[in-house]
């Protein structure tokens, strides 16, 4: 059998995630050979502008998806939070691996927590979701665009380009960089991105052999949570131009799931939030309903 080819971004974190997928595949099928194919994406190449300015988060996936469509790779490995809610024709969402920590972390030069930062301190982030929530809590701070890999953003922080930044705890754990953290935010303070902490596979919709090969990697709890969050996002037509956050927490044994979601103005001046709780079978419908509620509450001109 020819090697199974994984398509991945070339960043250290993306490759660590691809390696996690390879390890899981080989653990299930010890004779399986798995190669990781590094693919350069537009989102990685263009670092001097926000994602919103250059077309949104699909810029981290489209070249990898094209390689999948062309047959150059057999599966794509993505951070679930980078994925659009709709797939190119012929592609589909595959398994979701067991989710890592969903929270955001705060890193400051001074060792100060967000509440302790002096007025006028500069926070670096490329995420409108993080920007809006930071400014809602601390409108006296300044937020600047801060893009790049985890290592690049930590270097920019060391160089003094900002006083603090925010990074996903999941990425720091996967890169063994937890020691840089000053503070970890609970979701009630900073709500995570849809899909944060989850590794998602993307497959060709007609490739039954690959589907059977990767199916054992799917974690039911994580997949249920991500499906609910993505249903919420899809209603809001979420992109990097809109501050949207949402997190679900499923208890499979109890057949219950909880969800919190929000949309906000980029400057943090307005935040609309909602909560849902119910049975797992209703998770997707509840996610959609939560999105519709916020869309109605915010009004027609709120979302760009």
């Amino acid at each position: 059998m020819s090697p199974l080819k994984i398509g991945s971004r070339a960043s250290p974190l993306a490759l660590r995630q691809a390696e996690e997928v390879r390890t899981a595949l080989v653990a299930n099928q010890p004779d399986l050979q798995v190669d990781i194919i590094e693919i350069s994406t537009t989102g990685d190449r263009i670092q001097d502008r926000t994602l919103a300015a250059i077309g949104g988060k699909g810029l981290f996936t489209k070249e990898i998806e094209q390689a999948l469509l062309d047959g150059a790779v057999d599966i794509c490995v993505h951070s679930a939070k980078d994925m659009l809610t709709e797939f190119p024709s012929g592609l589909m969402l595959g398994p979701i691996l067991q989710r890592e920590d969903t929270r955001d972390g705060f890193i400051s030069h001074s060792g100060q927590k967000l509440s302790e930062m002096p007025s006028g301190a500069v926070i670096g982030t490329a995420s409108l979701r993080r920007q809006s929530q930071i400014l809602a809590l601390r409108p006296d701070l300044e937020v600047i665009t801060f893009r790049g890999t985890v290592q690049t953003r930590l270097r920019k922080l060391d160089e003094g380009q900002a006083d603090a930044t925010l990074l996903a705890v999941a990425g720091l754990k996967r890169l063994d960089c937890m020691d840089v953290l000053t503070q970890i935010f609970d979701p009630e303070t900073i709500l995570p991105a849809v899909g944060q902490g989850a590794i998602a596979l993307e497959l060709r919709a007609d490739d039954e052999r690959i589907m059977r090969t990767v199916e054992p990697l799917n974690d039911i709890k994580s997949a249920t949570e991500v499906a609910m969050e993505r249903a919420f996002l899809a209603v809001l037509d979420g992109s990097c131009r809109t501050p949207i956050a949402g997190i679900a927490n499923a208890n499979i044994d109890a057949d219950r799931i909880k969800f919190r979601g929000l949309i906000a103005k980029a400057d943090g001046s307005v935040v609309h939030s909602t909560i849902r709780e119910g049975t797992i079978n209703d998770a997707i419908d509840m996610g959609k309903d939560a999105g519709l509620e916020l869309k109605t509450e915010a009004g027609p001109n709120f979302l760009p």
Side-chain angles (χ1 to χ4, degrees), residues 70-195:
D70 293 343
V73 300
D74 299 304
I75 62 174
C76 303
V77 175
H78 304 295
S79 293
K81 68 177 183 178
D82 289 339
M83 302 178 77
L84 297 175
T85 53
E86 294 185 2
F87 294 94
S89 178
L91 302 184
M92 61 176 284
L93 181 64
I96 305 290
L97 277 67
Q98 185 173 354
R99 202 171 195 176
E100 245 297 357
D101 199 314
T102 61
R103 297 173 296 175
D104 276 320
F106 188 70
I107 304 155
S108 69
H109 265 316
S110 59
Q112 293 172 306
K113 297 180 179 180
L114 176 63
S115 61
E116 300 166 339
M117 298 296 290
S119 182
V122 177
I123 313 298
T125 180
S127 164
L128 289 180
R129 172 188 63 84
R130 288 173 176 147
Q131 172 183 310
S132 64
Q133 294 185 81
I134 289 290
L135 291 176
L137 292 166
R138 290 289 309 273
D140 58 320
L141 301 180
E142 179 185 354
V143 178
I144 64 168
T145 300
F146 220 54
R147 287 203 53 218
T149 65
V150 170
Q151 291 82 358
T152 298
R153 281 180 275 179
L154 291 175
R155 174 182 54 78
K156 288 180 177 180
L157 192 61
D158 285 340
E159 292 171 352
Q161 296 185 32
D163 298 307
T165 190
L166 287 81
L167 292 168
V169 173
L172 294 173
K173 283 187 175 182
R174 290 182 172 122
L175 292 169
D176 299 319
C177 292
M178 289 291 286
D179 58 316
V180 305
L181 280 170
T182 304
Q183 177 182 8
I184 296 177
F185 295 114
D186 60 64
E188 286 74 25
T189 303
I190 301 290
L191 201 62
V194 163

Side-chain angles (χ1 to χ4, degrees), residues 5 25-26 39 41-42 74 172 179 206 214 226 255:
K5 297 183 178 65
L25 286 168
V26 173
I39 298 172
T41 71
T42 303
D74 299 304
L172 294 173
D179 58 316
D206 61 355
V214 302
V226 171
D255 190 32

Side-chain angles (χ1 to χ4, degrees), residues 32-53:
L32 183 66
Q33 183 179 344
V34 182
D35 294 340
I36 296 173
I37 310 300
E38 299 180 23
I39 298 172
S40 174
T41 71
T42 303
D44 289 313
R45 291 193 297 269
I46 301 175
Q47 295 290 329
D48 59 344
R49 283 164 282 168
T50 65
L51 289 176

